[in-house]
Amino acid sequence: MRDLLLEIGLEELPAQYVLRSEQQLAERVTTFLNDARVNFGTVDVYSTPRRLAVLIKDVEETQQDLTETLRGPAKKIAQDAEGNWSKAAAGFARGRGLSVEDLYFAEEKGVEYVFADRHEAGQATMSLLSGLEHVVRGMTFPKNMKWGTSSLRYMRPIRWMIALFGTERIDFEIEGVKTGNVTRGHRFLSTGDVTIASPDAYVSTLEQAYVIASYEARKDQITAQIEALASEQGWTVPLDASLLEEVTNLVEWPTALFGEYDASYLELPEEVLITTMKEHQRYFPVYVGDTLKQYFVTVRNGNAEHLENVARGNEKVIRARLADAVFFYEEDKKTKLDDQLPRLDRIVFHEKLGTTGDKVRRVERLAETLAPLFKADETKVARAAHIHKFDLVSQMVYEFTELQGIMGEKYALMQGEDREVAAAIREHYMPRFAGDASPTTATGATLALADKLDSIAAFFGIGMIPSGSQDPFALRRQAQGVVQILGDWDVDMTIDEILSQVVDSQLEAGLYDADKEQVKAQLKDFFMLRLKYRLQERHVRYDVIDAILTTGLSVTRLDARAEAVQQFVSRDEAKPLIEQLTRVGNIAKKGEHGPIDVSLFENDEERMLHEAAETTVHQLNDAVEAGDYERALTALRILEQPISAYF
């Protein structure tokens, strides 16, 4: 056995794609080996901003032998009446590298077929490994580019490649770059090329060239360095998981350091400071207790030499950023909220759907109709809907788009708006992502639902429907938000009923020209998938999901209904009841609906079934109304014996 090393050296990769690309490379290489019938041991993955690598231990020198039994045509086709082999039989043998002498007959399910046994001796693994070229070429990325005269589309230009089986090089070439045993160290700390003598020396050799190849090892180092720094200074430095991942994928040799900015900037809203540090500079904010302080922690891609110069450079950058933020903040405070609203008519929402001002007016009308669903104050809803997008034309949000809604709430409070109205400006974006909370105020929930439904229905109306991985307007995320809000607020109205109102309103306003019923049907299918996804995330069985959704796009107590049914059908006593009810349901589909004349009953079994059904319906409706689905399902069991007796 030998170890196998494959490294792809590239220009600096976007940090958010490094880990998924590392994993993809490992999956592709292991799939290649499995398909080639080559056994192997453990798989180690490595990645930095400039490389993706996989090291596979204990790869066998020879692929496994292949012995298989192949079935050909039936005997009546394979031989003629005289027992001569037909062209079909000869072709079957020839196509598998065999002769007709290798064929024999055997019976399968009462029919005689031609069979042949084929044995293929395993080849030397080394002779197969040039196929790794297709593994490298076949990598897929969210964004690709071309470079020079290359025809290959890749996330970043390939600059070098290592392919080693033990100490032996695996030869192939991609866009003029040949494989070898030479890699590159840290861009600034290492000089010259770095030779990898063997796969097991990969990590230690790179470390000598100031590259920590393992993502986990770099992350652990960064975490330990920041925690040591915080302990030394008496600080608390929250390690945001997504920021830590991004920083880890930006460096090859991490060194943590801290800097300071003027304490006067702490007068800015905390969200502005944190956004500036995290989103724009990739800094970790510093707290003492719960109080944000005028320090930041950052990670250098280099060693500890001249850290004071690096700190001063970072301080200079953040001072400029915060000075801009102060200017935007002070200028925004000078402008009255209502004076900013006309500027929304100069922002195009979509070329086919008008301006942001047009959207605001649509949301206003829709929010008024939705307010009763949340028992929201109609006056507050009307005001919140009227101003909910005003901060988009503020200078602060123009520069820091991540603060939309957040700054709107703060500016609204400064100008004397009602607290719930101000909160709704922030909450109407919620939930912003999977796992985010729903709005906590009735006004915010109303506005969030109206804004999302307007966008979804409008884009469907103009034919901009998500397909495959394409969802440029994040309609799936907004639809999940709609489902979450309706579920969390226990809104007693189905999604299709609400959507019908939205589509009718948009068509009446002449927003688009489309077939109303077709748009409604497309929206219903779209939201049906969102409800299924919600239940699948909660590990609900597919048949239970289908059963729950036969009642329509109702989110009311959706999770509770699914849980009750799933528990019920898992019990042994549920099976005979389900069989009985299924039989009744199938027959009832053929019947006519109308009043029941009990005088026409001919026997006691009919009367007993009718009485049991009447009793069950009342108990069932009462239990469902109370949200006690366990009791509702239990009530159905009353019908089991009367149905059985009737039949």
Side-chain angles (χ1 to χ4, degrees), residues 12-274:
E12 269 77 359
L13 298 166
Q16 66 268 36
Y17 302 140
V18 172
L19 286 184
R20 68 177 79 171
S21 300
E22 168 197 86
Q23 193 59 42
Q24 182 190 167
L25 178 63
E27 289 171 357
R28 286 181 175 273
V29 172
T30 53
T31 299
F32 168 81
L33 292 175
N34 285 325
D35 291 346
R37 309 194 311 277
V38 176
N39 293 334
F40 54 88
T42 58
V43 179
D44 295 327
V45 291
Y46 301 98
S47 62
T48 76
R50 302 176 68 205
R51 72 199 75 232
L52 302 170
V54 58
L55 194 163
I56 303 183
K57 302 288 186 66
D58 302 328
V59 179
E60 290 190 348
E61 292 271 5
T62 307
Q63 71 174 157
Q64 295 295 299
D65 293 347
L66 174 66
T67 300
E68 58 182 340
T69 298
L70 307 170
R71 194 187 78 175
K75 182 177 181 179
K76 62 182 179 180
I77 298 173
Q79 283 186 335
D80 60 20
E82 286 75 37
N84 299 313
W85 293 109
S86 67
K87 289 183 178 179
F92 165 71
R94 188 171 54 253
R96 287 146 185 83
L98 304 170
S99 68
V100 290
E101 283 74 25
D102 298 311
L103 303 181
Y104 63 90
F105 294 107
E107 189 176 295
E108 184 178 287
K109 295 182 179 178
V111 179
E112 278 196 287
Y113 290 94
V114 168
F115 285 88
D117 295 328
R118 183 164 70 100
H119 179 78
E120 183 181 308
Q123 302 178 47
T125 300
M126 187 64 191
S127 68
L128 308 171
L129 292 178
S130 60
L132 290 172
E133 174 187 349
H134 303 294
V135 170
V136 177
R137 287 184 179 274
M139 293 280 287
T140 59
F141 308 100
K143 294 183 179 180
N144 293 303
M145 62 180 291
K146 292 171 68 175
W147 62 97
T149 58
S150 169
S151 60
L152 180 68
R153 297 182 64 85
Y154 227 63
M155 184 156 55
R156 287 293 183 269
I158 298 175
R159 294 308 185 204
W160 75 89
M161 290 187 295
I162 289 181
L164 292 175
F165 188 39
T167 58
E168 192 175 355
R169 293 192 301 178
I170 305 163
D171 289 324
F172 58 86
E173 181 178 332
I174 297 178
E175 302 301 321
V177 179
K178 295 182 178 181
T179 55
N181 63 345
V182 175
T183 185
R184 299 180 190 177
H186 191 280
R187 189 180 283 278
F188 306 114
L189 300 179
S190 176
T191 57
D193 292 334
V194 178
T195 301
I196 304 297
S198 62
D200 60 358
Y202 178 69
V203 173
S204 58
T205 304
L206 276 178
E207 193 162 345
Q208 292 170 16
Y210 298 95
V211 173
I212 299 174
S214 165
Y215 164 82
E216 291 296 336
R218 289 198 310 281
K219 186 175 78 168
D220 290 344
Q221 277 203 22
I222 292 169
T223 301
Q225 290 177 16
I226 292 177
E227 288 176 349
L229 199 59
S231 176
E232 180 184 326
Q233 300 292 332
W235 296 337
T236 299
V237 181
L239 294 178
D240 178 89
S242 60
L243 179 59
L244 180 59
E245 178 184 317
E246 184 174 9
V247 168
T248 302
N249 287 321
L250 286 171
V251 299
E252 291 191 319
W253 191 262
T255 302
L257 64 144
F258 73 91
E260 183 178 5
Y261 53 88
D262 196 290
S264 63
Y265 290 124
L266 293 173
E267 295 178 10
L268 284 167
E270 186 172 308
E271 293 87 350
V272 174
L273 294 167
I274 291 175

Side-chain angles (χ1 to χ4, degrees), residues 423-490:
I425 298 172
R426 169 179 52 82
E427 290 186 332
H428 90 271
Y429 290 104
M430 297 170 66
R432 294 174 182 256
F433 49 83
D436 192 20
S438 295
T440 58
T441 67
T443 302
T446 303
L447 197 54
L449 189 65
D451 181 63
K452 291 172 176 59
L453 286 173
D454 173 78
S455 293
I456 296 167
F459 281 116
F460 268 70
I462 61 172
M464 304 291 286
I465 301 173
S467 60
S469 60
Q470 301 300 310
D471 187 11
F473 303 104
L475 300 186
R476 292 190 184 96
R477 176 172 57 78
Q478 294 190 65
Q480 284 300 139
V482 168
V483 170
Q484 180 177 324
I485 292 168
L486 292 174
D488 290 349
W489 280 82
D490 199 21

